[in-house]
């Protein structure tokens, strides 16, 4: 899909985790090691495009502490979540995608509040409401019907290490979110974090209800399939 938009894309197989799990659990030495590896692998890239909002948020918000401000700021300035790269760097919200299905948007916590991919509910009404970056891209997909969700920016319950430390609570929050998504009438739920989508899809398989999870990249790359 990026190549269709005129980008030259390369994938370096040396890349690993950005270090976010270690940052959130306080394992600083391991987080520094992975942050240094990440910075080294992507040192020559004009832009680093990632399909995970939480990983991008880690690079932008946490790497200054791990790598030092100068190196971290240079890397952060050219690191983008996939959707914001398309809209802000490439300057388009129509990638030629076709996806004739009812879709609900899962607005993940990191993407919403750390990257500004949408507007959190606590800010609505304070200024003129704007359509967020991810929603703008979905509205540009031919045939896609975007369904509204109650309590749209409530957490799905995954929370990374939170789901490991508090599995029962994580699942309970996830079931509430899954129920709200099912009530929207959507056949699919999409978002910018694969981890959140996997969490919800696992609950869907266990509980037997709710929309199927699909990453934003899959929709934007679609030419009409499911």
């Amino acid at each position: 899909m990026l190549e269709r938009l005129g980008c030259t894309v390369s994938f370096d197989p040396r890349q690993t985790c950005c270090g976010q799990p270690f940052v959130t659990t306080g394992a600083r030495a391991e987080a520094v090691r992975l942050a240094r590896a990440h910075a080294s692998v992507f040192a020559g890239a004009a832009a680093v495009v990632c399909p995970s909002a939480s990983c991008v948020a880690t690079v932008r918000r946490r790497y200054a502490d791990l790598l030092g401000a100068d190196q971290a700021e240079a890397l952060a300035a050219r690191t983008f979540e996939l959707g914001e790269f398309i809209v802000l760097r490439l300057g388009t919200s129509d990638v030629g995608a076709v996806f004739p299905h009812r879709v609900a948007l899962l607005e993940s916590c990191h993407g919403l509040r750390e990257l500004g991919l949408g507007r959190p509910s606590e800010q609505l009404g304070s200024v003129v409401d704007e359509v967020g970056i991810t929603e703008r891209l979905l509205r540009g997909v031919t045939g896609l019907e975007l369904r509204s969700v109650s309590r749209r920016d409530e957490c799905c319950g995954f929370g990374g290490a939170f789901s490991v430390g508090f599995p029962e609570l994580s699942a309970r929050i996830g079931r509430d979110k899954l129920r709200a998504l099912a009530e929207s009438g959507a056949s699919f739920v999409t978002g910018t974090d694969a981890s959140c989508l996997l969490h919800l899809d696992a609950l869907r398989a266990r509980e037997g209800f709710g929309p199927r999870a699909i990453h934003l990249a899959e929709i934007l790359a679609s030419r009409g399939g499911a």
Side-chain angles (χ1 to χ4, degrees):
M1 183 263 296
L2 288 174
E3 289 173 340
R4 290 205 314 258
L5 295 174
C7 298
T8 300
V9 180
S10 63
F11 179 90
D12 192 324
R14 296 176 300 160
Q15 64 183 280
T16 62
C17 174
C18 68
Q20 179 186 178
F22 296 117
V23 171
T24 56
T25 53
R28 179 177 173 80
E30 291 82 357
V32 169
R33 176 173 57 82
L34 288 175
R36 287 173 176 167
H38 180 97
S40 175
V41 167
F42 294 108
V48 182
V49 181
C50 178
S52 170
S54 62
C55 295
V56 174
T58 297
V59 172
R60 289 190 187 167
R61 299 298 186 96
R62 309 289 181 260
Y63 270 25
D65 178 57
L66 302 175
L67 299 176
D70 291 343
Q71 185 177 10
E73 288 173 6
L75 180 59
R78 51 193 177 84
T79 300
F80 300 87
E81 182 272 329
L82 173 65
E84 67 174 0
F85 177 76
I86 294 170
V87 173
L88 300 181
R89 178 63 76 88
L90 300 185
T92 185
S93 57
D94 184 353
V95 300
V98 179
F99 194 75
H101 302 282
R102 299 187 304 274
V103 177
L105 172 59
L106 173 67
E107 301 196 74
S108 65
C109 302
H110 285 91
L112 193 65
R113 292 183 170 84
E114 295 208 332
L115 299 186
L117 301 181
R119 187 175 297 283
S121 57
E122 64 268 17
Q123 294 182 9
L124 294 177
S126 59
V127 294
V128 176
D129 295 343
E130 300 175 357
V131 175
I133 286 174
T134 310
E135 183 175 340
R136 199 183 314 172
L137 283 165
L138 291 174
R139 291 187 182 279
V141 176
T142 300
L144 187 148
E145 180 185 345
L146 190 61
R147 306 303 293 260
S148 60
V149 181
S150 63
R151 299 187 298 184
R152 62 177 183 81
D153 60 350
E154 191 169 280
C155 180
C156 72
F158 175 64
F162 174 81
S163 64
V164 178
F166 303 93
E168 295 86 0
L169 183 54
S170 173
R172 181 174 178 179
I173 296 171
R175 283 192 296 270
D176 285 345
K177 187 71 175 182
L178 191 64
R179 193 170 294 109
L181 291 165
E183 290 170 354
S184 75
S187 301
F188 293 87
V189 55
T190 193
T192 59
D193 269 295
S195 54
C196 299
L197 293 170
L198 286 169
H199 174 65
L200 287 174
D201 214 44
L203 287 168
R204 178 184 72 92
R206 184 186 307 168
E207 303 295 333
F209 72 90
R212 173 183 159 193
I214 183 171
H215 194 277
L216 174 67
E218 296 177 88
I219 293 179
L220 298 181
S222 174
R223 291 303 183 95

